[in-house]
Amino acid sequence: INEDHVRIFSRKIFWFRDKRTNEIITNYDGIPVKPIKYDFQVFDFKRGVNEKDPWLVPVLPSVVRSKRHIPCMPITPRIAGSSEQILFQFPLFINLDLPDGRKYQAWEFYDYFVDTSFAENRPPSLAWTRQGSNAPFVTDDCGVMHFHAHRVATFEDLPECLQSLVEKDYSLFRYPPLNMGEVDKLIAEEEKTL
């Protein structure tokens, strides 16, 4: 939008993997396991102010369009180890009433690491930790989930098994939403199923 305000169009999908084999789980104790997916997410990020160090300014996020509208706390940048690595920590507390009357609560940390030398062998990476309501296929009330990932430049850079899975069953996730018009269409389609 301008140099202090960025809008991001994205999609998000999480597959659950077996901790021993690393294979994607499709069944857990006889219960079908499906990925958690967000067909669209639109976020705005605005530059905050840090007069002591203008290079490490907080980022002020907000949800423009998503399945869930949640309050966002500032994303705080910090030097992580050497001066060539920056950590952006994004804490998120979710406290929602679900349509079925249940409460959905979680405390999440998204920790993004960026190598400021932008070396190809050190892509931006993410560590995500979540304490709260378990995935739908787990009958226990609460638990902890954790994942880590790194950025790839193109769809073709994903592992072949994920490329095949996306092409076969989740083709929408090959690209982000094109614009707000596509997001509005997806919202209308989603509302028809409710």
Side-chain angles (χ1 to χ4, degrees), residues 7-186:
R7 177 161 290 163
I8 295 177
F9 292 83
S10 69
R11 303 183 207 280
K12 184 164 61 174
I13 188 166
F14 301 94
W15 284 282
F16 295 93
R17 301 177 87 110
D18 185 288
K19 65 181 177 182
R20 290 180 300 282
T21 67
N22 207 28
E23 295 294 318
I24 291 174
I25 299 170
T26 57
N27 187 293
Y28 180 82
D29 289 343
I31 300 170
V33 175
K34 295 184 180 196
I36 296 172
K37 60 188 192 78
Y38 295 82
D39 292 350
F40 59 87
Q41 291 185 307
V42 183
F43 298 101
D44 277 2
F45 296 93
K46 294 181 181 175
R47 186 188 318 258
V49 176
N50 179 352
E51 292 178 9
K52 291 181 182 175
D53 190 343
W55 201 65
L56 291 176
V57 298
V59 178
L60 309 173
S62 61
V63 177
V64 178
R65 297 264 205 311
S66 184
K67 276 186 179 181
R68 296 184 175 101
H69 287 278
I70 51 178
C72 298
M73 298 169 74
I75 300 170
T76 308
R78 300 188 193 309
I79 298 296
S82 75
S83 61
E84 291 185 350
Q85 190 171 23
I86 296 179
L87 161 68
F88 292 89
Q89 189 171 67
F90 184 178
L92 192 62
F93 181 68
I94 303 167
N95 185 14
L96 301 170
D97 294 317
L98 299 175
D100 65 5
R102 290 181 303 133
K103 189 84 136 154
Y104 179 84
Q105 293 181 318
W107 181 243
E108 300 182 352
F109 274 99
Y110 291 81
D111 290 328
Y112 296 92
F113 297 88
V114 178
D115 181 334
T116 59
S117 71
F118 301 104
E120 282 189 39
N121 64 340
R122 296 185 67 187
S125 60
L126 164 69
W128 173 77
T129 306
R130 177 184 186 281
Q131 179 181 356
S133 304
N134 272 326
F137 60 88
V138 179
T139 57
D140 296 344
D141 187 32
C142 291
V144 175
M145 290 192 276
H146 181 261
F147 79 65
H148 57 89
H150 67 273
R151 187 182 191 288
V152 295
T154 68
F155 179 76
E156 290 72 22
D157 291 337
L158 288 171
E160 286 184 25
C161 63
L162 288 180
Q163 288 182 49
S164 297
L165 183 61
V166 168
E167 292 286 358
K168 181 178 173 227
D169 298 325
Y170 302 97
S171 60
L172 185 68
F173 289 82
R174 182 158 180 175
Y175 302 101
L178 183 61
N179 54 34
M180 202 61 86
E182 181 182 342
V183 170
D184 290 340
K185 275 187 190 176
L186 290 166

